[in-house]
Amino acid sequence: MLTNSYVNTLLFGVYPYICLVVLLIGSLIRFDREPFTWKSDSSQMLRKRELQLGSTFFHYGVIVVILGHFIGFLAPHWAVDWALSPVAHQLLAMVVGGIAGLVAIVGLTILIHRRLGDPRIRLNSRKWDIAITFMLWLQLALGLLTVPLSAFHMDGQLFETLTAYVKGIVTLDGGAAASMMGVPLTYKLHILLGFTLFLVSPFTRMIHIWSGAGALSYLFRPYQIVRTPKTRAQEPTRP
């Protein structure tokens, strides 16, 4: 029992802060030392239609998922309880999160097929590009698996436990990890992989989520626009 409690504290009480610190400091160092790598490498000239479809689905879906997580888990009780009971709050999270997650994973599956199915794109892909893509796919899959699991806990108690844990991490509550002891394994894996994505972001193409207006920019620009010789020819010349 002591060992289980120690491991639980290490994984859910210590590891999240290691990931968040590395995300913050690592991002600042990379921006200072390698600002020109602060981007997502583009290969849009190859299989453009597949890229546009997959990228649009993925970015729209994942942005709704991310916003839903922030609003659902970090919104203060007084801002939610007047309109939704814990059960209704959980049901809303299941429906919206499930639909958005499904859209995102379909889009990401298209992008994976494009990246691995085209020899030219695969040859130009770094190992970390492929690894981070599969990590994102697995994270979305785990999130979707929590939807039917949540249907067996419609009393809202599990949702409240997860909400309390996330708020505890944000507010530096040293006892937050204890609430994860009885949480099903799928939720635990989903949370750990989520923090791991934070951990590796400063060292991968995931860093580009900080750029510009952040991830919200993809609501209006789901794929990168590149000038073509035709558009350059139409530009007025300087006198």
Side-chain angles (χ1 to χ4, degrees):
M1 182 65 180
L2 181 61
T3 302
N4 291 338
S5 177
Y6 175 80
V7 173
N8 185 79
T9 301
L10 182 64
L11 292 178
F12 299 100
V14 178
Y15 182 65
Y17 292 112
I18 294 175
C19 297
L20 294 173
V21 169
V22 171
L23 172 65
L24 178 60
I25 297 179
S27 297
L28 291 174
I29 292 175
R30 181 167 175 181
F31 181 75
D32 180 62
R33 303 182 67 173
E34 301 178 18
F36 295 106
T37 67
W38 195 278
K39 61 183 177 65
S40 172
D41 296 329
S42 175
S43 58
Q44 75 169 54
M45 301 306 294
L46 304 173
R47 302 177 74 165
K48 295 171 62 175
R49 291 184 179 179
E50 196 172 4
L51 171 62
Q52 183 174 351
L53 180 63
S55 185
T56 301
F57 275 26
F58 171 68
H59 286 109
Y60 272 81
V62 81
I63 289 171
V64 173
V65 168
I66 293 173
L67 290 177
H69 277 65
F70 273 98
I71 296 173
F73 289 119
L74 296 179
H77 286 292
W78 58 263
V80 178
D81 290 349
W82 68 272
L84 296 171
S85 66
V87 175
H89 192 183
Q90 176 178 328
L91 182 60
L92 179 64
M94 289 169 57
V95 173
V96 175
I99 294 174
L102 186 60
V103 170
I105 202 170
V106 167
L108 191 56
T109 301
I110 294 173
L111 294 176
I112 291 174
H113 176 268
R114 172 182 175 271
R115 182 171 293 277
L116 299 183
D118 190 308
R120 295 172 296 174
I121 301 175
R122 187 172 65 249
L123 184 63
N124 194 44
S125 300
R126 300 184 182 92
K127 292 181 179 180
W128 260 117
D129 290 345
I130 298 174
I132 200 70
T133 301
F134 277 102
M135 289 174 67
L136 286 169
W137 194 95
L138 179 59
Q139 179 68 346
L140 288 169
L142 287 171
L144 288 173
L145 285 175
T146 65
V147 175
L149 287 177
S150 296
F152 292 99
H153 300 85
M154 288 305 297
D155 57 356
Q157 185 60 45
L158 179 59
F159 184 77
E160 288 294 299
T161 298
L162 294 172
T163 301
Y165 168 72
V166 174
K167 289 181 178 178
I169 292 296
V170 173
T171 58
L172 306 180
D173 181 359
S179 62
M180 293 296 295
M181 285 292 292
V183 172
L185 179 62
T186 303
Y187 294 91
K188 292 183 177 181
L189 293 176
H190 185 56
I191 290 172
L192 290 176
L193 183 54
F195 282 117
T196 302
L197 287 169
F198 289 153
L199 179 70
V200 303
S201 289
F203 315 104
T204 69
R205 62 185 302 178
M206 285 279 289
I207 193 71
H208 78 279
I209 62 175
W210 293 106
S211 300
L216 288 176
S217 65
Y218 285 100
L219 287 173
F220 310 99
R221 185 180 63 86
Y223 52 93
Q224 191 175 14
I225 298 176
V226 177
R227 292 174 181 265
T228 65
K230 182 178 180 180
T231 57
R232 287 198 294 268
Q234 294 174 346
E235 292 180 352
T237 57
R238 295 185 179 180

